[in-house]
Amino acid sequence: METYTTDDALTAMGFGKFQALVLVYAGTGWLADSMELMLLSFVGPLVRLQWNVSPQHESLLSSVVFTGMLLGACSWGYISDKYGRRTALLFSIILTAGAGFISALSPNYISLLALRFLVGIGVGGTHVFSSWFLEFVPAKNRGAWMIVFSAFWTFGTIFEASLAWVVLSRLSWRWLLAFTALPCFVLLLFFVLAPESPRYLCVQNRISDATLVLERMSKTNRVALPPGALTYHKETQLVNHNGDALTSQNGHLPVRESDCTTMDNNAMTMSSISGSGGIAALRKLFSRKLLRSTLLIWFVWFANSFAYYGLVLLTSQLSDANRRCTSAQKSQAHQKSSNLYKDVFITSLAEFPGLVISAIIVDWFGRKATMWILLFGCCGFLGPLAVHQKESLTTALLFGARACGMGSSTVLCLYAPEVYPTSARSTGVGIATAIGKIGGIVCPLIAVGMLRSCHQMEAVLVFELVLGLAGVACILFPVETKGREMK
């Protein structure tokens, strides 16, 4: 009987209207989450003024969000692989929207802290949007479309900076919290239209459901599916009642609805051996085949998050440190706020050239080379900042560093889902994202703590060391995934 795989179907259909709708929905999720994170740059100082909390408590407002993201990243990845991409997306969106909006009504600092922690858990599901989107994209176009998808994050940072500039000059920080939660409510409104990933459905042996999704895609794209029945790549060999292996010579096992009942006993046996979906996924991450990739991805994700959030903080801290450490004069409060909005807005624009550069070279040089080129480029831009520079040169160097950092992070978000199999993809990317959040928690100690103590050279050298080691780790990645099917 003639058969085809999910990759065959996606290749035949290409990137059409259906994938464009998935792109918009997943991209809106990334935009909403980037807005929630950029919010931290503006709300902390205002909360400190209103409730007269200490600088340590102001920093804690950011730390609890990243702590929540660390827990959420692992949890949503597990839920996504065990119960489905749509289930993880739905509950993470509900939590982010609800806690984000209610936090605008916080009566005191403690309640605000608790609600922002819940927002962090919800935002921890951001990686599920990227994995879900990539599972609809043909291998040939995956690199370029992941870059387009990542542009939604940049739009979110720029939009939040613009929103803060407008809202905080006229209204209070509570209104900014409420407006920032609105994109999540839009996601809830259109959630009913979001399809489940056909790759996930195939792994769960729900072949008829996967076929329905692919037929819906072909109808929307107005392109016919390949002839025959849908199959999926079998990662574990099944044995029939006679003890004969069922796996075909090319490693693909055709599965039809009629097969599902005859294979129930085998499936139950496999389930009892391998354990639950989440435990089996964890075992795959630490298997002999994936262990090296897993550990290297963890470190590179940590370094990218450390650099990205650190660069956001450096934007507002470096110029202030230059003035404070070389002169006893202090800027006026309104001038400092104006410079903060301006600097965040300008450096956020740097993410666009970073996306363009990575889009051009990711399918040319490959994933690994693109990442280490951009990481070493980020080191090059940060190097001169070890000593005091003019404010215009400081902004220009941070612009280049953030462009390279954004490009590297985007390619990493593409590379990691390509490395892991479908049954462990969200768990793998989720844990890697959680490791990255540790970088987000640690970086304020460097970007803020050292600079406030006038140790600019030491702070920059720490960034250089972390980014340099991450570049070496990218060279050591054992697998290049350019053009490879997502098995």
Side-chain angles (χ1 to χ4, degrees), residues 42-180:
F42 309 107
V43 171
L46 298 176
V47 170
R48 179 185 175 187
L49 288 175
Q50 179 169 338
W51 286 328
N52 196 28
V53 298
S54 66
Q56 291 75 19
H57 285 92
E58 177 191 343
S59 300
L60 187 60
L61 192 60
S62 297
S63 297
V64 296
V65 175
F66 282 104
T67 303
M69 291 175 68
L70 190 153
L71 296 175
C74 294
S75 302
W76 298 123
Y78 172 85
I79 292 170
S80 176
D81 282 333
K82 187 171 180 63
Y83 300 105
R85 312 310 192 217
R86 293 182 83 248
T87 301
L89 289 177
L90 175 62
F91 288 102
S92 66
I93 293 169
I94 290 174
L95 185 59
T96 305
F101 188 81
I102 296 174
S103 65
L105 307 174
S106 301
N108 52 51
Y109 170 78
I110 297 299
S111 61
L112 178 63
L113 207 64
L115 288 167
R116 298 316 293 181
F117 173 75
L118 294 178
V119 170
I121 294 178
V123 173
T126 302
H127 66 88
V128 181
F129 282 107
S130 61
S131 297
W132 177 69
F133 168 67
L134 287 176
E135 289 178 346
F136 287 93
V137 182
K140 181 180 179 181
N141 309 112
R142 201 180 300 134
W145 283 111
M146 183 60 189
I147 306 300
V148 175
F149 170 73
S150 299
F152 283 87
W153 183 278
T154 302
F155 281 122
T157 61
I158 295 173
F159 184 68
E160 184 66 22
S162 305
L163 186 65
W165 204 336
V166 173
V167 172
L168 295 180
S169 62
R170 295 170 174 81
L171 303 169
S172 71
W173 56 268
R174 296 179 184 275
W175 285 96
L176 183 62
L177 290 178
F179 287 140
T180 301

Side-chain angles (χ1 to χ4, degrees), residues 74-354:
C74 294
S75 302
W76 298 123
Y78 172 85
I79 292 170
S80 176
D81 282 333
K82 187 171 180 63
Y83 300 105
R85 312 310 192 217
R86 293 182 83 248
T87 301
L89 289 177
L90 175 62
F91 288 102
S92 66
I93 293 169
I94 290 174
L95 185 59
T96 305
F101 188 81
I102 296 174
S103 65
L105 307 174
S106 301
N108 52 51
Y109 170 78
I110 297 299
S111 61
L112 178 63
L113 207 64
L115 288 167
R116 298 316 293 181
F117 173 75
L118 294 178
V119 170
I121 294 178
V123 173
T126 302
H127 66 88
V128 181
F129 282 107
S130 61
S131 297
W132 177 69
F133 168 67
L134 287 176
E135 289 178 346
F136 287 93
V137 182
K140 181 180 179 181
N141 309 112
R142 201 180 300 134
W145 283 111
M146 183 60 189
I147 306 300
V148 175
F149 170 73
S150 299
F152 283 87
W153 183 278
T154 302
F155 281 122
T157 61
I158 295 173
F159 184 68
E160 184 66 22
S162 305
L163 186 65
W165 204 336
V166 173
V167 172
L168 295 180
S169 62
R170 295 170 174 81
L171 303 169
S172 71
W173 56 268
R174 296 179 184 275
W175 285 96
L176 183 62
L177 290 178
F179 287 140
T180 301
L182 290 180
C184 285
F185 287 99
V186 175
L187 290 172
L188 288 176
L189 184 64
F190 291 98
F191 179 79
V192 67
L193 300 178
E196 182 57 272
S197 164
R199 294 181 187 275
Y200 170 80
L201 293 172
C202 281
V203 168
Q204 297 299 312
N205 204 22
R206 295 166 57 185
I207 303 302
S208 60
D209 292 334
T211 302
L212 288 175
V213 174
L214 292 175
E215 288 175 347
R216 179 180 164 192
M217 291 174 63
S218 66
K219 183 178 179 180
T220 304
N221 291 353
R222 297 182 179 179
V223 179
L225 287 171
L230 176 64
T231 72
Y232 69 98
H233 184 77
K234 198 62 186 164
E235 296 169 15
T236 306
Q237 190 180 58
L238 290 177
V239 178
N240 65 14
H241 297 293
N242 297 323
D244 299 323
L246 296 175
T247 308
S248 62
Q249 185 176 3
N250 63 0
H252 290 85
L253 179 68
V255 181
R256 296 171 294 276
E257 281 301 298
S258 58
D259 298 326
C260 294
T261 54
T262 61
M263 292 167 58
D264 279 346
N265 292 333
N266 292 321
M268 292 173 62
T269 303
M270 286 176 57
S271 178
S272 63
I273 294 174
S274 62
S276 64
I279 300 301
L282 286 173
R283 288 175 178 171
K284 285 181 182 178
L285 300 184
F286 296 102
S287 65
R288 188 173 182 180
K289 182 178 180 181
L290 291 174
L291 179 60
R292 179 178 169 186
S293 293
T294 294
L295 296 178
L296 290 173
I297 286 174
W298 283 5
F299 177 72
V300 176
W301 213 300
F302 169 89
N304 272 279
S305 297
F306 181 91
Y308 182 84
Y309 297 117
L311 286 170
V312 173
L313 293 172
L314 283 174
T315 301
S316 58
Q317 292 293 327
L318 268 180
S319 59
D320 182 61
N322 286 342
R323 291 191 300 269
R324 187 179 63 253
C325 296
T326 58
S327 172
Q329 298 177 349
K330 293 185 178 180
S331 302
Q332 297 296 323
H334 71 276
Q335 181 182 355
K336 182 182 287 188
S337 297
S338 178
N339 286 339
L340 174 61
Y341 299 141
K342 181 193 69 175
D343 292 342
V344 171
F345 184 81
I346 291 175
T347 54
S348 294
L349 292 176
E351 297 186 5
F352 283 114

